[in-house]
Structure formats: C-alpha cells, structure tokens
Amino acid sequence: MAKQERAIRTRNALIAAAAELFDQDGFEASSLAVISARAGVSSGALHFHFANKAALVDGVVDAAGERLQLITRHRDALSLQVLIDASHDLMQGLARDVVLRAGFALSARPERTAAARDLRRDWQAWVEATVERAACEGALVPDVTPRDLAATVVAVAAGLETLGGGDRRWLERSTLTRFWALLLPCVVSPAARELFVALGRTGAESVPRAVPVAPPRIGS
Amino acid sequence: MAKQERAIRTRNALIAAAAELFDQDGFEASSLAVISARAGVSSGALHFHFANKAALVDGVVDAAGERLQLITRHRDALSLQVLIDASHDLMQGLARDVVLRAGFALSARPERTAAARDLRRDWQAWVEATVERAACEGALVPDVTPRDLAATVVAVAAGLETLGGGDRRWLERSTLTRFWALLLPCVVSPAARELFVALGRTGAESVPRAVPVAPPRIGS
C-alpha cells in the first residue's frame, strides 16, 4: 500500500471511530485516547491527522458534508421530485450512516463558530433553492409561498432527525412518505399531481409499483 | 417566611439555576457547585433537595412538565384550534422560558431510562388524542389520517425546537403560523375552513384582527 493511501485509510478510520463514539456516548464523554484505540491507531497517528478534538469534529462534519452533497447532487428530474427523493435519502442516511448522523449533530453544537460548516444550514439553502426551482417549473399552486414550503420541509427533516435519535421509527421511509402524501395535494397544482411520488423514486424502485400522490393509506 | 415556603423557594431557585446553566453551557459542563452558587444557596442546601445531578435533571423535567400541562390544558374550543393554540404556546414557551426549553432537551437525553418522563412523548400523546378528537368533530377531510397529521405536527414542533436552539427566528410566531396556513387548507373540510385561525387565538388577541386560514401572505 502506498504511503498516501495508508494515510487516507487511517484518517477515514479515525473519522469513523469518532463518529461512532460521539453518536454512542456523546461528544464530551468521547476522549481522543478512546477514539484512537477504537480506530486501531496510535495516539501519535491521531495527532498527525487532527491537532485536537475540534479538528476531529471538523473532519467528521466535512465527511458528512460530502455525503450530503451526494444526497443533494444534480438529478435530471422535476425539482419537487428531486426534493422528495433527497429528503428520503437524507432520512435513510441519518438512520444508517453514523458519519452523516454524527456530522449533523456535531455541526450544530453551540461552541462551533458562525464561520464553521453547519450542515443543517447547507441543507436549508439547498431546499430553498430547489423549492424556488419547483415554483419556476410551475409545479406549485400559486397560493403557496416557496419560502413557507421550504421552511416546513426543513422543520420536518430536523424534527425527524431529532426524534429519530430516540426512536428510529421516525426515520423510516413510511414516516416521511406520509408527510409528503399529506402535503403534496395542497401544494402541487392539480395538473401536475400525477407527476410526483411521495414515496420517493429511490424507494419506488424497491417496491412492486410507484405509489402515487395521496394514496388511500401508506403503511399500516 | 414560613420554613416550608422558604424550602419551596430554594428548590425553585435551584431548578431555575440548573435550567439556565444546562441551557447556556450544556449538561456536562454544568457542575452542582456552579448551580448552587448561581442559585445563591449552599452546596448542603442543594443536596438537601437533590441527591445528585440526575435528581436535579428530574426536577427540571418535572417543572417543565407542569408548564407543558398548562399549555395542553382543557380549553373549551374546537380541538383543531386547541391544537393550533397549544403549538404556538409551546413554541413561545421554548423561546422565552428556559425551564421549559431545558426540560425538553434534558428529557430526551440518552442516559434517561425508558421509565423516566419524556416531554416530547407526553406532547406527542396529547397531539395524537387531540387530532383524534378533531376528526370526531368532523373538522378533517376524510382523506387525512389523524395519525399522519399528528406525526407531522409532532415532527414540525421538534424541528422548530431543534432549529430554534441555533437561531431563535425558528421559534417566532410567524414561522409556525406559515406552517399552519400551508397545512390547514389541505386537512380541514371546506365547510370548516373559516373556523380556524392559523395564527392561534392567543396570538390573535394581540393583533388588530384575527388572520384567517391561508391569508395572502403572513409576515414579510
């Protein structure tokens, strides 16, 4: 293994170990010594990559930010469906990917400076821009202010993230699907209703057929 | 001052000081010594009322629970309006009342046992029962499943609580009003639409006139 490749693997192992411990035991309770032991590297190797705990936090947040960029990447589809799909991908990511989950939690910690990366703020900015595009595409009824729809989506995602920390059922695909099924009929113009899938297209691929907007009942 | 009255005042001062410090500096950083100093009482007096930090957490959570009971008390009105009013009162409480805010944050901490009081769970149970009553009163369109509406309200409240920790604007009355104005037209039966005030009746008292459901624009 080349030296550079080994360094990248060590760095990633430290980020994964830190995310797991922050997520499991909390930020304060997780010492650098325990993190380096968990990653299977020496304390010296940890300090080579991360000068202190704050630098390690930045590393986890940046790694989570890369995942968020994948979730919100450009997709060739109607913007409102891109938003529905990305919201599902974010919830599935928070449920399954400890780096994404820890990164979101860490990026909102009060000791972070205003200049530090805030993933919820990044997500909010993307949601706002995407809803604006959906409005330009004529998907929304004129009564709906894009800003209000964006704020509701951001609030619901933050709420599911928070509640999901205590009870993972809040992060299940069916929970967010029911939110979209409730909301879509009142924000989407009647002519466009058939175009959007509350379940998300990523989820629709794994079920027999796509669930249309406002189905009789989703889930049990 | 009677001895009993003095004891109650000391206990309340300790709860207020603990809530302020937990909210400001975080749970781990707030020592019992700093809390008793902030409350202006001796360390011995603290230990007379609270055996340890966990007991003090229970004290803050119970005090916040009393406030939540006031917010969700019986009101003689249509259940959906009672829900709208209570959701506004909860957000205003989280913005202004440090005991309520700290109690919500503390009651969800991972080290709390399953049997300990969880204010978000209490709130969720009340929202679910109130939405069920609203359905029985005929306020909801038949397409809307009460459980889905309740889950959305619970998620939005948890999201605004979380986001409000970083930016108080999320807790402003106008933010939640816009959510209700967006949601009400798609969940309330047409015959009942005029009956509900998205701004909440508690807020409507302080403005020139009540804002109807789905006004042209609320806020700037």
PDB file of all heavy atoms in Angstrom, chain A residues 88-103:
ATOM      1  N   HIS A  88     -35.895  11.822   1.394  1.00  0.00           N
ATOM      2  CA  HIS A  88     -35.862  10.398   1.772  1.00  0.00           C
ATOM      3  C   HIS A  88     -34.416   9.916   1.940  1.00  0.00           C
ATOM      4  O   HIS A  88     -34.107   9.196   2.898  1.00  0.00           O
ATOM      5  CB  HIS A  88     -36.570   9.545   0.709  1.00  0.00           C
ATOM      6  CG  HIS A  88     -38.059   9.518   0.846  1.00  0.00           C
ATOM      7  ND1 HIS A  88     -38.692   8.946   1.923  1.00  0.00           N
ATOM      8  CD2 HIS A  88     -39.046   9.985   0.042  1.00  0.00           C
ATOM      9  CE1 HIS A  88     -40.013   9.059   1.771  1.00  0.00           C
ATOM     10  NE2 HIS A  88     -40.254   9.695   0.639  1.00  0.00           N
ATOM     11  N   ASP A  89     -33.560  10.284   1.005  1.00  0.00           N
ATOM     12  CA  ASP A  89     -32.153   9.846   1.092  1.00  0.00           C
ATOM     13  C   ASP A  89     -31.495  10.371   2.371  1.00  0.00           C
ATOM     14  O   ASP A  89     -30.692   9.673   3.000  1.00  0.00           O
ATOM     15  CB  ASP A  89     -31.364  10.331  -0.140  1.00  0.00           C
ATOM     16  CG  ASP A  89     -31.783   9.592  -1.407  1.00  0.00           C
ATOM     17  OD1 ASP A  89     -32.547   8.606  -1.302  1.00  0.00           O
ATOM     18  OD2 ASP A  89     -31.354  10.008  -2.495  1.00  0.00           O
ATOM     19  N   LEU A  90     -31.847  11.606   2.747  1.00  0.00           N
ATOM     20  CA  LEU A  90     -31.279  12.165   3.974  1.00  0.00           C
ATOM     21  C   LEU A  90     -31.747  11.367   5.196  1.00  0.00           C
ATOM     22  O   LEU A  90     -30.937  11.019   6.078  1.00  0.00           O
ATOM     23  CB  LEU A  90     -31.671  13.641   4.113  1.00  0.00           C
ATOM     24  CG  LEU A  90     -31.174  14.355   5.382  1.00  0.00           C
ATOM     25  CD1 LEU A  90     -29.659  14.299   5.497  1.00  0.00           C
ATOM     26  CD2 LEU A  90     -31.656  15.803   5.414  1.00  0.00           C
ATOM     27  N   MET A  91     -33.034  11.060   5.266  1.00  0.00           N
ATOM     28  CA  MET A  91     -33.546  10.306   6.422  1.00  0.00           C
ATOM     29  C   MET A  91     -32.935   8.899   6.460  1.00  0.00           C
ATOM     30  O   MET A  91     -32.557   8.409   7.520  1.00  0.00           O
ATOM     31  CB  MET A  91     -35.077  10.203   6.361  1.00  0.00           C
ATOM     32  CG  MET A  91     -35.792  11.512   6.577  1.00  0.00           C
ATOM     33  SD  MET A  91     -35.321  12.353   8.125  1.00  0.00           S
ATOM     34  CE  MET A  91     -34.591  13.844   7.469  1.00  0.00           C
ATOM     35  N   GLN A  92     -32.838   8.247   5.288  1.00  0.00           N
ATOM     36  CA  GLN A  92     -32.230   6.915   5.245  1.00  0.00           C
ATOM     37  C   GLN A  92     -30.758   6.987   5.640  1.00  0.00           C
ATOM     38  O   GLN A  92     -30.239   6.108   6.334  1.00  0.00           O
ATOM     39  CB  GLN A  92     -32.373   6.311   3.840  1.00  0.00           C
ATOM     40  CG  GLN A  92     -33.824   6.026   3.434  1.00  0.00           C
ATOM     41  CD  GLN A  92     -34.539   5.191   4.471  1.00  0.00           C
ATOM     42  OE1 GLN A  92     -34.118   4.082   4.788  1.00  0.00           O
ATOM     43  NE2 GLN A  92     -35.591   5.745   5.069  1.00  0.00           N
ATOM     44  N   GLY A  93     -30.088   8.063   5.201  1.00  0.00           N
ATOM     45  CA  GLY A  93     -28.688   8.259   5.573  1.00  0.00           C
ATOM     46  C   GLY A  93     -28.528   8.470   7.069  1.00  0.00           C
ATOM     47  O   GLY A  93     -27.639   7.887   7.698  1.00  0.00           O
ATOM     48  N   LEU A  94     -29.409   9.279   7.671  1.00  0.00           N
ATOM     49  CA  LEU A  94     -29.326   9.525   9.120  1.00  0.00           C
ATOM     50  C   LEU A  94     -29.594   8.237   9.902  1.00  0.00           C
ATOM     51  O   LEU A  94     -29.027   8.022  10.973  1.00  0.00           O
ATOM     52  CB  LEU A  94     -30.334  10.607   9.538  1.00  0.00           C
ATOM     53  CG  LEU A  94     -30.001  12.030   9.074  1.00  0.00           C
ATOM     54  CD1 LEU A  94     -31.175  12.967   9.345  1.00  0.00           C
ATOM     55  CD2 LEU A  94     -28.750  12.566   9.771  1.00  0.00           C
ATOM     56  N   ALA A  95     -30.434   7.377   9.359  1.00  0.00           N
ATOM     57  CA  ALA A  95     -30.750   6.114  10.048  1.00  0.00           C
ATOM     58  C   ALA A  95     -29.581   5.137   9.970  1.00  0.00           C
ATOM     59  O   ALA A  95     -29.323   4.398  10.923  1.00  0.00           O
ATOM     60  CB  ALA A  95     -32.004   5.492   9.446  1.00  0.00           C
ATOM     61  N   ARG A  96     -28.868   5.122   8.843  1.00  0.00           N
ATOM     62  CA  ARG A  96     -27.913   4.035   8.585  1.00  0.00           C
ATOM     63  C   ARG A  96     -26.449   4.440   8.632  1.00  0.00           C
ATOM     64  O   ARG A  96     -25.576   3.586   8.772  1.00  0.00           O
ATOM     65  CB  ARG A  96     -28.200   3.451   7.189  1.00  0.00           C
ATOM     66  CG  ARG A  96     -29.542   2.762   7.143  1.00  0.00           C
ATOM     67  CD  ARG A  96     -29.937   2.427   5.725  1.00  0.00           C
ATOM     68  NE  ARG A  96     -31.324   1.987   5.684  1.00  0.00           N
ATOM     69  CZ  ARG A  96     -31.991   1.716   4.581  1.00  0.00           C
ATOM     70  NH1 ARG A  96     -31.407   1.822   3.404  1.00  0.00           N
ATOM     71  NH2 ARG A  96     -33.239   1.324   4.629  1.00  0.00           N
ATOM     72  N   ASP A  97     -26.165   5.720   8.438  1.00  0.00           N
ATOM     73  CA  ASP A  97     -24.776   6.160   8.269  1.00  0.00           C
ATOM     74  C   ASP A  97     -24.380   7.014   9.479  1.00  0.00           C
ATOM     75  O   ASP A  97     -24.820   8.156   9.631  1.00  0.00           O
ATOM     76  CB  ASP A  97     -24.682   6.965   6.968  1.00  0.00           C
ATOM     77  CG  ASP A  97     -23.275   7.472   6.692  1.00  0.00           C
ATOM     78  OD1 ASP A  97     -22.423   7.407   7.598  1.00  0.00           O
ATOM     79  OD2 ASP A  97     -23.049   7.955   5.573  1.00  0.00           O
ATOM     80  N   VAL A  98     -23.562   6.439  10.340  1.00  0.00           N
ATOM     81  CA  VAL A  98     -23.225   7.103  11.598  1.00  0.00           C
ATOM     82  C   VAL A  98     -22.411   8.383  11.370  1.00  0.00           C
ATOM     83  O   VAL A  98     -22.514   9.332  12.156  1.00  0.00           O
ATOM     84  CB  VAL A  98     -22.491   6.114  12.548  1.00  0.00           C
ATOM     85  CG1 VAL A  98     -21.105   5.790  12.045  1.00  0.00           C
ATOM     86  CG2 VAL A  98     -22.436   6.640  13.965  1.00  0.00           C
ATOM     87  N   VAL A  99     -21.638   8.446  10.282  1.00  0.00           N
ATOM     88  CA  VAL A  99     -20.867   9.663   9.998  1.00  0.00           C
ATOM     89  C   VAL A  99     -21.815  10.814   9.650  1.00  0.00           C
ATOM     90  O   VAL A  99     -21.659  11.943  10.126  1.00  0.00           O
ATOM     91  CB  VAL A  99     -19.828   9.421   8.874  1.00  0.00           C
ATOM     92  CG1 VAL A  99     -19.171  10.735   8.461  1.00  0.00           C
ATOM     93  CG2 VAL A  99     -18.759   8.428   9.343  1.00  0.00           C
ATOM     94  N   LEU A 100     -22.829  10.521   8.827  1.00  0.00           N
ATOM     95  CA  LEU A 100     -23.810  11.558   8.479  1.00  0.00           C
ATOM     96  C   LEU A 100     -24.560  12.018   9.729  1.00  0.00           C
ATOM     97  O   LEU A 100     -24.727  13.218   9.972  1.00  0.00           O
ATOM     98  CB  LEU A 100     -24.796  11.020   7.433  1.00  0.00           C
ATOM     99  CG  LEU A 100     -25.757  12.049   6.835  1.00  0.00           C
ATOM    100  CD1 LEU A 100     -25.027  13.063   5.973  1.00  0.00           C
ATOM    101  CD2 LEU A 100     -26.851  11.364   6.017  1.00  0.00           C
ATOM    102  N   ARG A 101     -24.984  11.058  10.542  1.00  0.00           N
ATOM    103  CA  ARG A 101     -25.755  11.377  11.754  1.00  0.00           C
ATOM    104  C   ARG A 101     -24.917  12.196  12.731  1.00  0.00           C
ATOM    105  O   ARG A 101     -25.350  13.244  13.224  1.00  0.00           O
ATOM    106  CB  ARG A 101     -26.232  10.076  12.396  1.00  0.00           C
ATOM    107  CG  ARG A 101     -27.203  10.257  13.536  1.00  0.00           C
ATOM    108  CD  ARG A 101     -27.956   8.960  13.834  1.00  0.00           C
ATOM    109  NE  ARG A 101     -27.092   7.888  14.291  1.00  0.00           N
ATOM    110  CZ  ARG A 101     -26.935   6.714  13.675  1.00  0.00           C
ATOM    111  NH1 ARG A 101     -27.586   6.452  12.570  1.00  0.00           N
ATOM    112  NH2 ARG A 101     -26.133   5.794  14.169  1.00  0.00           N
ATOM    113  N   ALA A 102     -23.697  11.732  12.993  1.00  0.00           N
ATOM    114  CA  ALA A 102     -22.827  12.458  13.933  1.00  0.00           C
ATOM    115  C   ALA A 102     -22.459  13.826  13.366  1.00  0.00           C
ATOM    116  O   ALA A 102     -22.393  14.814  14.109  1.00  0.00           O
ATOM    117  CB  ALA A 102     -21.571  11.637  14.217  1.00  0.00           C
ATOM    118  N   GLY A 103     -22.227  13.893  12.069  1.00  0.00           N
ATOM    119  CA  GLY A 103     -21.865  15.165  11.442  1.00  0.00           C
ATOM    120  C   GLY A 103     -22.964  16.205  11.596  1.00  0.00           C
ATOM    121  O   GLY A 103     -22.692  17.372  11.924  1.00  0.00           O
TER     122      GLY A 103
END
